Every structure is written in C-alpha cells, then in structure tokens.
Amino acid sequence: MPRTHRTRLPGPVRNVLIGGIVAGLLVMLGLAVLLKQDREARLGSAQRQALALSTGVDRLLRQEFGSLERAMSGVAADAGTYRGAAPEQAGALLRSTIQGVVARRAELDSLVLVDRDGRVLAGEGRGDATLRQWLEGARGDGLVVGPLESRDAGWWLRVAWPFDGERWLLARLRTAALEGMIRDLDIGVEGSVAVLDRGGVVLARQPEPANGSHAGRQTRLPPSLAQSQGTAVGVRTSQIDGVERITAFSAMSGYDVVVVAGLGLREALAPWYRAAWIAAGFALLYWICLAFFIHRLVAGERVRAALLEDLEEQAEWLDQAQRASRTGVWRVEAGEGQVKVSPHTAAMFGFEPRAATLPVQPFFDRIHPAERDEVRRLFARAMSSGEPYSTEYRVLPRPDVERWIRANGGVAEDSQGRRWVTGTVADVTGEHEAQARVERAEGHFRALFERNPLPFWVFDTETLHFLAVNDAAIASYGYSQDEFRSMTILDIRPPSDRDRVVASMDARGRDQDMDGIWTHVRRDGSRLDVRVFSSSIEFGGRPARLVLAEDVSDRVAYERQLAWRAAHDDLTGLLRLSAIVEWINDRHAPGTRYAVAFVRLRDVELVTSTLGAMTGEVLLREVAARVAAIGRKFGAAGFWPGESFVLVALDASRGQAMLDALEMAFAAPVQTEGGAHPVEACIGVAEGPTHGETPEQVVGHAALAALHAAREMVTVMPYDGTMAEQASEHIAMARRLRNALRAEEFELHYQPIHRLSDGKVVALEALLRWRRDGAMVPPAVFIPLAETSGLIVPIGRWVLEQAVRCHARLAESGFGDVSIAVNVSAIQLLGESLAETVIELRRRHRLPAGALHVELTESVVLRQPQLARARMLELREAGVPISIDDFGTGFSSMAYLRDLPLDYLKIDRSFVQDVHADERKASICRAMISLAAGLGLDAIAEGVEQPAERDWLRAHGCGQAQGYLFGRPAPLEQTLQALAAAAPRPVQEE
C-alpha cells in the first residue's frame, strides 16, 4: 500500500495545540489576576501598616497629653484645696506645686499661671502675649494645644489648661519629647512619621534632615481632619521631600494634633515588581515549551502513521489476537476427537500455553466432576443437532487450583460442507469470587443490621419511605415492621421539625455521615433525643440512606441542665450577670434605649446570722420569685451574688412602671418560720446605651447608683455621671495611696501633750501626714479611704514602727519618760495581730512599759464590744495604756466605760473650745472630768488654743491637755528641738 504524506495536522495534535493555547491564555489571565490582587494586597497592607503607625503614635500622644492634662488639673485641684485649707499660704503652696510638676516632668520647659492676656501670675517662666488669640479657637474645656515657638535654637509647643474662668496654666513642652515618640519606628528607607497641629504645621518629624529640623514647616492636611477627629489613608506626594508615599492621618487623641505616617510607595511595591518580572519569564517559558512539545508530537504522529500503514495487512490477525487476549478459542472437527486450542485456552485448562491440537479427553478430564457430565451432554447435543450452547463450569488445571469457565459454542460449516464445533472460553473466576464476596458482605450486613442493639433503618432518599428497619428500631419506637414500611421518616419527627428535615435532605452532601442531634417521636407520642449517623447506599436499585439512631436523651438532658446552671443562679433560679448581659445584647434593638434597676437588699446578713442560713435562703427565694415575676412582665431579671438583683426593661419608657412594681412587691413582708420579715432595698436606676456603652457598663452604672442610695439612706437613686467620676477619683486616690507607702510619702508629725499641773510634756501624739507632689493631703481625705480599702493595716503597722523608733530617739535625747500615743483603727484593733505586733516591737526596740499608748474612738469599741474588750485586755497585758479619743461625739455608753480596761479619757475639742465662756460646754466638761475621776481615769483635753481654756481646765481638775496653745504638730527633729528648748536648765552656782 503506497504511503501518503499529510499536510494537515493530525486530529490529536490539533486538539493538544488548541488545549495548550487555551491553557496558556488561562494561565496568563490567572497570572494577571494574581498580580493585580497582589498589588492591591501590598497596597492594602502598606495602608494598614501606615494607619497602625499613625494610630499607635496618636495613642502615645493621647497618653502624653493626658498625663500632662492630669498633672495640670492636679495643680488646679491642689490650688482649690490650698484656698480652702490654708488661704494665707495658698500662693506659696501653689508655686511649690508648680515647681514640683516641672521638676518631675523633663519634657516641660516651664509651667506658669497666667491671666487671659498671658501675663504671669505664679510660677517661673515667661507669659504669652498671644494667649488670648490662640485660645479663641480652642475646642472643648480641657487641654488646649497652642502654636509652636522657636527659642534658643529649639522648638517649644505651648499648651494651656483652664485654671478657672479667667486664668490659665501655660506650659511649654519640648518638641524633643514628641520626636522621641516617633524615633526608631519601622518606617523603611523612604518612610516618614510626623506630628502636625490642626493647621498643618510640623511639630516633629522623622527622618530629620542632616542639619536642622522640619519643625515649623507648613504642609497640607485632608479637609476631613482639619476640624474633626478621625483617620484618613491615601497615596500622597510629600510637600517636604517630594517622595510619593502611602500616607495615613490619625486625629483620634482628642487634642489639636494630627499624626501622619507614610511608607514609600516604590519601596512597598518592590516585591510586586519582582513578581511581575518572574510571571513574564514564566509566560515566555510556557510558550517555548508548548511549541517544542507540539513539534515533538507532530514528529511522533508521523512515525505512528507509518507504522499503522505497515500493520494494516495484518489487521484481521491482530483483531483475533486482541479477542483472544480476553478469551480462548477452540475448534473440534466432527468425528476426529482432536481439539485445536489457542494458547490462552490451553493455559486455562492447565496445559502449556501455546497453540496446539490435543485430544479432547484430557480437556474433559480437567473439568470438575460435579459439572463434567453436564458439559459432555451439552457438547454431544451441539455436535449432533448443531444447537449452540452456553454454560459455566469449573476446571481443575492443577489439583489445588479451581477456576470458573464460561463456555460458548456451536457448529460451524465452511463453503465445502465441512462441519466442526467451535467456540470460546473465558476465565470468569474473578466474577464468581466477587459475587461470593458480595454475598458474604450482604450476609454480614444483614447480621449487623438485624442484630444491632441500636435502631437501624434504610429509607428512600426520593420518597423518604422506610425500606427496612431492624428489631431495635421496632422495640425503641413501638411501630411494627409493616407500620414502618408504610411510613416516611417525617412521621417520626415532630411537626415543627419537618421543614428542617426536608431542608437538611436537600443540603446534605453525599459523603456526610453525621446529621447531628434530632428529636424523634415514638408511637405513644413520647419524645427522645437521638444522635443520627447516616451514609448513602443503593438499596434494591434505589438511592437510599442507611441511618443509625443513638438515644442520647439522658446526655442531652444533662447538657441542658449544665447550660441552665451556667446561666442561672442555683439558689434563686435567676439569670447570672453574664447571662443578663448576653440577653440584652440579643434582644436590644439598635437605636432604642433600655432601663436597668439594680436592687440591693438590706439586713439579709442579719437575718441569716440571727435566724439561720435556711431562713435567709427562704427570704432570698421569695424575693427572687417576686423579682422574677416583674422581670417576665418588663423584660428579664437576674441575681447578683451578695443579695442583689438586676431588672431590665427593654423599653426605657417603662422604667418607672417597673420601679412602681418593685415598690409594690417589696411592700408586703416575707413570711418564714421565724416570722414576718420586711423587705428593704436600695435601688439604683440607669438607662442606656449612651455613646457606645455596653450592657455590662449600664448594669454597672445602676449598681453604682444603688451603692450611693445605700450610703445616703434613700430607696431609689438614678445614676448620674458624677458618680462614675467620683468612683474613678476614689480608685485613683486608692491607687496612689497604695504607692505612697512604698514610695515613702508618709511621715509622722508629733503634737505634745502637757501635764496641766506643772506644764511638763508627758506624751507626744503621733499624727499621720501624706506629702504628695510637695503638698500635704488632708488626713480627712485619705484616712477614710485607707480604712475602706484595707490599706489602714499596713499603714498602721508602719505608724507603730515609726512611733517606736521615735521613742528611741526621745530616749537618746534625754526624754525617755515621754510616751508616744498612736491612733488605732477598728480594723487594726479587731484583727488578730495588733498585740503581737506591739509585743514584738517592744522586744526588738527594748521599749519600756507605758512608752507606747493606743488611742481608740468610741465607734471602734461599740462596733464589736466583746471582741474589742478582748483585744484591749491583750494590749493591757502587753504594757500599753489605752485612751478613748473624741469622747462624747458618738453614742456614748457608761457601760462600756465601766467594763473596758481604759487609762485615759480624751475630751473632744468641740467641748473644750471657749469652755471658759460657754456655760453649757463648761457643764459638759465638768461632767466628763468627774466621770473620768470616778472611773479612775485621767482626763486629756484636746484642742486647747487659749490660755483661758487651759486655766479653766486646770482649775477644774483636768490632768492633761494638748492643742495649738502648747504646740502644733511638727516633724520629729523640730519636736525634739522644742522639747530641748522647753527643758529646765541646771542652775549654776556663783
């Protein structure tokens, strides 16, 4: 057959070429998309980085200006304190405070008090004649950031704080402090960070030029930030150095400053340019490789075409050989008793695998005895009648090997009239083995399905009808086999779940094998929770689903109980605080307001301690039931551990109605086995949200209002913003108080106590003072705070230690007979370690008995009389005399004076003042002096300021006195000097 040369591309090669071109175009398109996304991602990352830099520096500015604002507001507050406490020294104290602030804050050049026209009133520094001009544009009532000022080869930023209506605290802030905030930031090679004022004037910038500074240069701000707070991001070309940058502006500090952070655009996109070049190289390489591959395919196709032309003459034989590769062929001529076989046929029967003509009998001998006679009969019938046959039988090619053969045969006749029997044989052993495996698997499946202890069923995924169920399902659900077959899976689901079931069937993936937990319904109507496992199968030629249902009702009930207990209080059954907050978040509609009432019960602890914990619980449960009923009506109710409740009205307009309902609920007493108990409560009310408040913050406002209501002994108190400010100030003062002891800011001043009979100093009262920022904090401010915060214990221990050291100094100076009197709080006295502390101090410092006195107030003694008496006896045994301080100002009781181990009775200054001229005070003082004498106590008068008061007290038998007449409280060294000056000098003989 002549060969022909083809000019067109062969079909396969053409398909590959088209596919390669399409794939290449798709790859190019994908690379373009990826490069575009990568560029946008890098720009977005740079924008986020620039914004993070600007907002981070903005937070540092807010902290710096906020710290400066607090310092200046502290100066203003101290000035107010000085005017009230010591008006004659207010100016000096204010100047001292200002000097202290400037000394502590290195970033300040000066701090002065000026009037509205910038004239200096107090402090060291210069004023500002332009103050009135730049204050006119000030926003708000806090710290005002003014313009830059260049002086002494440096730059200073002027800031002002309103001192009062017409005076201002003017500070000059070194811009080096601002430069320190932005120095060493990761801004790359072409990046920059700057701090500007609202007019666009540069206050500080990094990087700085090689010589000089960018401070004072003018630049342009986005219009949106000129007069408002916020952020802005964009690509801008710097007006200072001409570099194009991705720039972020932040003006969130609340002050008139703007932070600008920029990253170089070219630097940010440098990796993208490299990626673009790599993508271009990859595209070029792809087209080169595709051209080479097509060239090779064309060459190969031409070789294959040539081979096919050479093999066309043998096509028929190749066709027989291909068929013989799967089956064997044979042929028996009539009457010859010989069989011609192909190699594969010979191999099937265990003979040498080659084409040969062999006797027929050995082939029949290799057939399994069970099928041999049937095969002979079929073969003989085909030989005699010419009827074709088809059968399957086993052969034994070797004694230990068994194969299944599928045989087909019939009589054939050629053109010359010769007849023979021919046919094919195929090895179907694999099919039979597969069938056997299927039958075994079906048997195993049937056993697992029928005998499984868990409910099993199969349902049609199209009709949802049950196709098969096992015995466990029949026993668990109560339906018979026939009833199940007439039902669908929807019949065992609650009506409310049917739509969800259908939706889950539509959404289920073929390979999904767990459907979660569902509620099923038994035949008797009872319900159970089951965990469903399922898998797609084919059953009876239909798409089906095999389902296993595990009863998890007990587990689900337990989990529900755990979830309920996590969200509810065990005693009252009401929601916990976290659950109340979550409830508000879930149900509060944006744009609406809700009301919260915080209820603090009174005297529940008293009921519990007197009538028992069971009665207290009954009382709480009854109150909780009443509160819960109100909560269901208006919104929700919760319990705050510590006998407090929280009520929420989702509609704030119903808040008053909710309070009225609370008043009616608490009007009736609670009946318990111990009798009727009235319900008294303090209620705090707050509405929210305001300015992005969270529900937890609104509840906290209501709780703070309830605390104020309890302190002021009123029933209802609405929340006021000043409460939070007071609480914040209280917390800040407590924090400073904690640091004061560690920073050694406390000191003791001593006031002498004189014996009136001879004027001798017999004792010194140790008075605690707190020096902060160069000024004294009044004891009336920090002592109550120390008691409520628990800091009075370590402070009191420090006072005792210092008092003992003071006595050692007194002894060294020749005044060892002068004792030290220390005031002790209720927490110190009623604790367990006061006497042990005193004993340890006496032992360590070898303190004689009576050298240390303890002064107690009446309230300390009356709080827990029995325990107080026990502690006082321990002090008496330790050699410590005890005085009752400020006697007569509290709920005085003659009984405790009679029973307590006392040594001195101190008469309060309110009775001593003008005692010589006020007959009523004179009568009270005479009675107290007589009472002390009758009980064997010595009387000490406080607050003696006039000689006439001293003379009256001495004339009426008062033993000792103290006050400004004898000496003001002073530090130890000054007190020692006063004692030495007052001591009598020895008389020298002439």
Side-chain angles (χ1 to χ4, degrees), residues 422-433:
T422 186
T424 62
V425 290
D427 189 343
V428 292
T429 303
E431 295 180 13
H432 279 264
E433 290 177 350

Side-chain angles (χ1 to χ4, degrees), residues 572 574 601 618-634 637 645 647 658 661-672 676-680:
T572 63
L574 296 179
L601 298 183
V618 171
L619 177 64
L620 273 179
R621 287 196 187 98
E622 174 60 26
V623 174
R626 299 179 185 182
V627 171
I630 299 173
R632 287 190 296 271
K633 181 178 180 182
F634 292 93
F645 298 89
L647 276 163
M658 183 173 64
L662 276 173
E663 184 178 353
M664 292 181 62
F666 292 162
V670 175
Q671 298 293 335
T672 66
H677 301 282
V679 181
E680 297 184 1

Side-chain angles (χ1 to χ4, degrees), residues 172-211:
R172 284 179 168 83
L173 178 67
R174 294 180 173 90
T175 59
L178 304 181
E179 294 171 354
M181 296 180 188
I182 61 177
R183 188 177 296 117
D184 299 329
L185 293 178
D186 185 12
I187 57 177
V189 176
E190 296 181 351
S192 69
V193 179
V195 181
L196 316 175
D197 65 9
R198 290 287 183 170
V201 177
V202 178
L203 306 181
R205 187 181 185 274
Q206 288 293 333
E208 288 288 324
N211 49 9

Side-chain angles (χ1 to χ4, degrees), residues 76 321 389 571 819 940 970:
Y389 73 91
L571 176 62
S819 59
I940 302 175

Side-chain angles (χ1 to χ4, degrees), residues 13 110 261 280 319 365 391 452 482 487 536 625 671 750 780 790 802 815 841 886 900 972 981:
V13 176
S110 64
D319 180 66
D365 292 341
T391 185
N452 199 296
D482 293 337
M487 297 164 51
S536 295
Q671 298 293 335
Y750 300 90
Q802 297 302 314
F815 302 103
L841 289 174
D886 300 333
L900 294 178
L972 178 60

